[in-house]
Amino acid sequence: MSRFTLPRDVYHGAGCLAELKNLPGKKAIVVTGGHSMKATGFLQKTIDYLKEAGMEVTTFEGVEPDPSVETVMKGAKAMQDFEPDWIVAIGGGSPIDAAKAMWVFYEYPDAKFEDLITPFSFPTLRTKAKFCAIPSTSGTATEVTAFAVITDYAKGIKYPLADFNITPDVAIVDSEIAETMPQELCANTGMDAFTHATEAFVSTLHCEYTDPLAIRALQIINEYLVKSYHGDKEAREKMHDAQCLAGMAFSNALLGIVHSMAHKTGAAYSGGHIVHGAANAMYLPKVIAYNAKDPEALKRYAIIARYIGLKGNTDEELKDALIARVRELDKELNIALCIKDYKGGIIDEKEFLDKLPEVAKNAVGDACTGSNPRAITPEVMEKLLKACYYDEEVDF
């Protein structure tokens, strides 16, 4: 038996933020990130619509990129003090992910963060509040997923939290908000969405319900991502929908080792963070080459290649064409092809090599590794990560 879970309502299209006026409730807390939603006016619109719905509203602002355990606990305390019956998160993946984790500690103040690391181990939610997610970026799809990524900075590890309990009740996918994305963010989140759909399609847990979502997302992303990057308004709308479809797919089919590696390298180095979407973009070609040694995975990568219009006479040729297409997208979006070149070389080679055994071990232990189509050991993961650092061929 398999399970397929989505939000009860997904509103999409330009201007659908106004649906907040129809939420039934008494009190709402709005969780958001830095200043972008305030600067563009969407934070105030959100507050105004909720007040129009008859709710008392407060805000929790300033959730950082790659939200920390400490921020989650501060937000949960604010919720405990205010006692909302709606948690409304608006912004990129970070504030929405943080709000999901806050939700748990709001309803269960005695819970420990360590209790949530084990996938699908959360307590039952909605005892105090429901959850509405409003994405401003076209990539994470956290508005429709059972996932949240929280960083423990003391350990230098990103933890993907997974449980169907944290799938939002309502998702508002308003393309007008996505039009405000800066170019680099558009690139990184777009490649995150491409990776979501690819990993979902080859996951060991893919099924007839998730495959069409993943394939359609890939078709749209392949056609519109570069146009969206260059500011095309229609393409921004197409990408906002596509990333949501990819999210529906991976929330139910789960992911693979591209994400395992991105989670465990993102905050591991003193030179700076490797932004999640850029990490996925760099690692995906190497992981496709690694996974394609599995015959079933090779077959499914070839299916992806055919559906997005790539050419090849054999599955092997189609897989190579898919790898080439991902690298072409990276170049067109000004994303580095390897860790060594990322942001002009901010990840020191010696530090990378010194930390490699521990990072590899953590990546293999990541929650996303279990649904990868080809098994991997810490020793092989070290080789794969080195290939991603130096842009080496994967022939193992």
Side-chain angles (χ1 to χ4, degrees):
M1 185 189 79
S2 300
R3 177 174 175 176
F4 187 83
T5 300
L6 297 175
R8 187 179 187 279
D9 293 301
V10 178
Y11 298 100
H12 56 97
C16 67
L17 185 66
E19 282 298 326
L20 288 171
K21 294 187 289 187
N22 299 318
L23 288 188
K26 296 179 180 178
K27 299 172 81 173
I29 185 168
V30 180
V31 179
T32 192
H35 302 293
S36 62
M37 290 299 95
K38 182 176 282 187
T40 55
F42 286 109
L43 177 59
Q44 192 57 52
K45 277 189 178 181
T46 298
I47 294 167
D48 291 344
Y49 285 143
L50 291 167
K51 287 182 176 177
E52 200 170 332
M55 294 195 219
E56 182 184 348
V57 183
T58 192
T59 62
F60 183 88
E61 302 178 44
V63 175
E64 72 273 40
D66 300 316
S68 65
V69 176
E70 290 76 16
T71 294
V72 167
M73 294 309 178
K74 287 177 187 174
K77 178 64 168 60
M79 291 176 187
Q80 290 159 17
D81 292 342
F82 185 64
E83 298 184 336
D85 50 7
W86 275 100
I87 299 166
V88 178
I90 181 170
S94 295
I96 298 175
D97 281 5
K100 286 179 175 180
M102 293 170 190
W103 188 14
V104 181
F105 295 106
Y106 166 44
E107 300 207 359
Y108 296 90
D110 295 331
K112 306 293 183 191
F113 183 75
E114 292 72 24
D115 299 337
L116 308 183
I117 293 172
T118 303
F120 302 98
S121 62
F122 281 43
T124 300
L125 296 178
R126 296 167 181 82
T127 63
K128 295 179 182 177
K130 291 183 178 180
F131 195 100
C132 174
I134 308 163
S136 65
T137 61
S138 301
T140 69
T142 187
E143 74 276 4
V144 293
T145 74
F147 295 91
V149 180
I150 305 298
T151 302
D152 184 332
Y153 284 92
K155 296 179 180 177
I157 295 177
K158 290 185 179 182
Y159 288 102
L161 309 181
D163 197 284
F164 288 117
N165 270 290
I166 56 171
T167 304
D169 298 281
V170 176
I172 294 178
V173 188
D174 189 331
S175 57
E176 289 182 350
I177 305 176
E179 290 173 17
T180 66
M181 275 191 298
Q183 198 172 46
E184 184 179 359
L185 187 59
C186 179
N188 290 335
T189 56
M191 288 308 295
D192 192 17
F194 192 101
T195 306
H196 288 157
T198 302
E199 291 209 289
F201 193 74
V202 301
S203 160
T204 57
L205 296 175
H206 77 87
C207 67
E208 300 295 347
Y209 291 78
T210 60
D211 282 354
L213 294 165
I215 283 293
R216 183 59 184 144
L218 285 162
Q219 288 176 321
I220 298 170
I221 296 165
N222 183 61
E223 182 175 354
Y224 288 101
L225 175 52
V226 174
K227 295 175 185 176
S228 175
Y229 175 72
H230 290 296
D232 182 277
K233 187 174 178 180
E234 180 195 8
R236 286 286 172 104
E237 183 169 358
K238 293 285 190 181
M239 280 299 303
H240 214 41
D241 287 336
Q243 64 86 32
C244 189
L245 296 178
M248 293 177 184
F250 91 78
S251 185
N252 292 279
L254 306 187
L255 293 163
I257 57 172
V258 179
H259 273 76
S260 301
M261 295 158 68
H263 292 150
K264 296 319 189 245
T265 56
Y269 309 110
S270 59
H273 279 204
I274 303 176
V275 174
H276 179 72
N280 285 336
M282 291 188 291
Y283 306 163
L284 181 58
K286 305 305 180 188
V287 171
I288 292 173
Y290 173 79
N291 282 342
K293 302 292 184 183
D294 174 86
E296 181 61 25
L298 173 61
K299 195 181 302 180
R300 293 186 71 79
Y301 287 129
I303 292 170
I304 290 173
R306 287 192 196 96
Y307 267 100
I308 66 173
L310 304 180
K311 304 299 181 185
N313 295 317
T314 65
D315 286 354
E316 193 71 31
E317 288 180 2
L318 286 161
K319 175 264 296 180
D320 288 342
L322 180 59
I323 290 172
R325 177 56 179 154
V326 176
R327 290 172 66 87
E328 180 184 26
L329 284 171
D330 288 351
K331 290 174 185 175
E332 291 188 77
L333 299 169
N334 290 304
I335 298 173
L337 295 176
C338 62
I339 301 171
K340 187 176 182 180
D341 295 338
Y342 179 70
K343 296 285 187 184
I346 64 170
I347 308 303
D348 177 73
E349 182 178 18
K350 184 178 185 304
E351 183 183 13
F352 175 83
L353 294 172
D354 287 346
K355 291 183 173 178
L356 184 57
E358 185 67 19
V359 171
K361 178 183 172 184
N362 289 337
V364 171
D366 188 89
C368 293
T369 300
S371 46
N372 193 68
R374 186 181 174 198
I376 194 164
T377 64
E379 292 74 25
V380 176
M381 179 62 81
E382 285 189 39
K383 293 170 68 176
L384 189 56
L385 283 165
K386 283 182 75 174
C388 291
Y389 187 88
Y390 295 108
D391 195 15
E392 297 172 340
E393 290 296 315
V394 174
D395 54 1
F396 47 85

